[in-house]
């Protein structure tokens, strides 16, 4: 279970940061891996309406959004967006990130691609504002509703605080701890008790990526899916991406990872080796299965292996039940 926190305040010791830190700490206590992105320290240019996203599903702007944030938004099971209210909405830095999620919107609504984790991912909002106005968070909620829709997450709730102005105000808030505890328990509840499975192959560019995607699509509510390779490639195999795309499955912005790196933070209950080349990796104590697929050499082979993996994953899930 991976919880991504987007910290939208420019203040390093501000109220938003304190609130999000408490939220992520509680998430870790309940078993999540977490990462906080300091949005104001990232290079995220505003959307320039190049509209390439609507044609090709990519944004030509070369910045942290492309290299770091899109992949994290895809990887997350839960996205927690935290912001101070600036003029009834998010900070400008966070708004730039939100506007750039238009690329993910375009992949969903223009290219009709489905991110494998979309059905299960959840979005949550944290916000603070100095004043007491009844409508203080209305603008933010609307923005967040469409942000979460674009990135493929269900907007399930928020914690918002009025009359929070100076650094330290949030820390002194009487109900903060109880609020966070209750909110995180409810938010993470669907992810508790999922079986953690790691799919591996040599490069983590093709077979294990396909298996991971099908496992998420078919049983993301029961499986916490990880993928990795013994010698991870730099990029996904384009044949795999194309073959999956033909079925409407969006593999965009997924990254490869090394088995050793994944195992430093994750303890899978089962490892499934997809090919023959990663069998040398030592994985002590964790049960293993070998599925023996062969990486495809051309698009037709990629289509065949895609369908065979889908069937094998479906059979595996049936067996679990
Ligand atoms: C540029 C700017 C605009 C703001 N606009 C609002 C606003 O519209 N409504 C409000 O209640 N507070 C507003 N505030 C106050 C902040 O929301 C408040 O101080 C908050 O606690 C800051 O959170 P932080 O410590 O996480 O940065 C504004 C502050 C700034 C600097």
């Amino acid at each position: 279970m991976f919880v991504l926190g987007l910290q939208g305040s420019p203040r390093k010791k501000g109220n938003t940061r304190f609130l999000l830190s408490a939220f992520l700490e509680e998430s870790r206590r309940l078993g999540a891996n977490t990462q906080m992105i300091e949005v104001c320290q990232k290079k995220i240019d505003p959307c320039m309406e190049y509209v390439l996203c609507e044609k090709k599903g990519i944004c030509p702007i070369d910045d942290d959004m492309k290299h770091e944030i899109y992949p994290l938004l895809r990887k997350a099971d839960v996205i927690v967006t935290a912001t101070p209210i600036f003029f009834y909405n998010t900070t400008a830095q966070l708004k730039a990130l939100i506007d750039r999620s238009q690329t993910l919107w375009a992949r969903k609504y223009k290219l009709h691609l489905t991110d494998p984790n979309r059905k299960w991912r959840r979005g949550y909002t944290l916000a603070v504002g100095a004043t007491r106005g009844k409508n203080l968070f209305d603008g933010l909620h609307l923005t967040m509703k469409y942000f979460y829709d674009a990135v493929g997450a269900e907007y399930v709730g928020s914690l918002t605080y009025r009359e929070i102005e100076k650094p330290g105000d949030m820390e002194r808030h009487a109900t903060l701890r109880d609020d966070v505890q209750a909110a995180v328990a409810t938010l993470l509840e669907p992810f508790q008790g999922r079986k953690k499975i790691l799919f591996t192959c040599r490069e983590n560019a093709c077979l294990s990526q396909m298996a991971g995607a099908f496992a998420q699509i078919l049983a993301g509510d029961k499986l916490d899916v990880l993928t990795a390779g013994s010698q991870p490639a730099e990029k996904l195999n384009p044949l795999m991406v194309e073959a999956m795309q033909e079925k409407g499955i969006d593999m965009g912005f997924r990254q490869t990872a090394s088995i050793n790196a994944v195992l430093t933070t994750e303890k899978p209950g089962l490892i499934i080796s997809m090919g023959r080349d990663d069998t040398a990796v030592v994985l002590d104590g964790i049960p293993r299965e070998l599925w023996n697929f062969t990486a495809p050499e051309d698009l037709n082979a990629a289509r065949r292996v895609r369908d065979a993996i889908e069937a094998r994953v479906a059979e595996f899930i049936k067996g679990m039940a």
Side-chain angles (χ1 to χ4, degrees), residues 9-11 14-17 84-88 128-131 136 164-167:
S9 167
R11 271 183 186 161
N15 294 301
T16 306
R17 192 176 197 287
I85 294 296
F86 278 16
F87 288 86
Y88 285 83
V128 300
T131 57
L136 183 53
I164 300 291
E165 186 166 15
K166 296 176 202 65

Side-chain angles (χ1 to χ4, degrees), residues 33 198 226-229 257-268:
N33 278 318
L198 172 62
L226 306 163
T227 72
S258 88
I259 296 174
N260 289 342
V262 167
L263 292 179
T264 56
T265 53
E266 304 279 2
K267 285 197 186 73

Side-chain angles (χ1 to χ4, degrees), residues 65-76:
M65 197 68 199
K66 176 177 169 185
H67 298 287
E68 190 179 359
I69 310 293
Y70 290 133
L72 285 171
L73 291 170
R74 283 308 201 212
K75 186 182 161 197

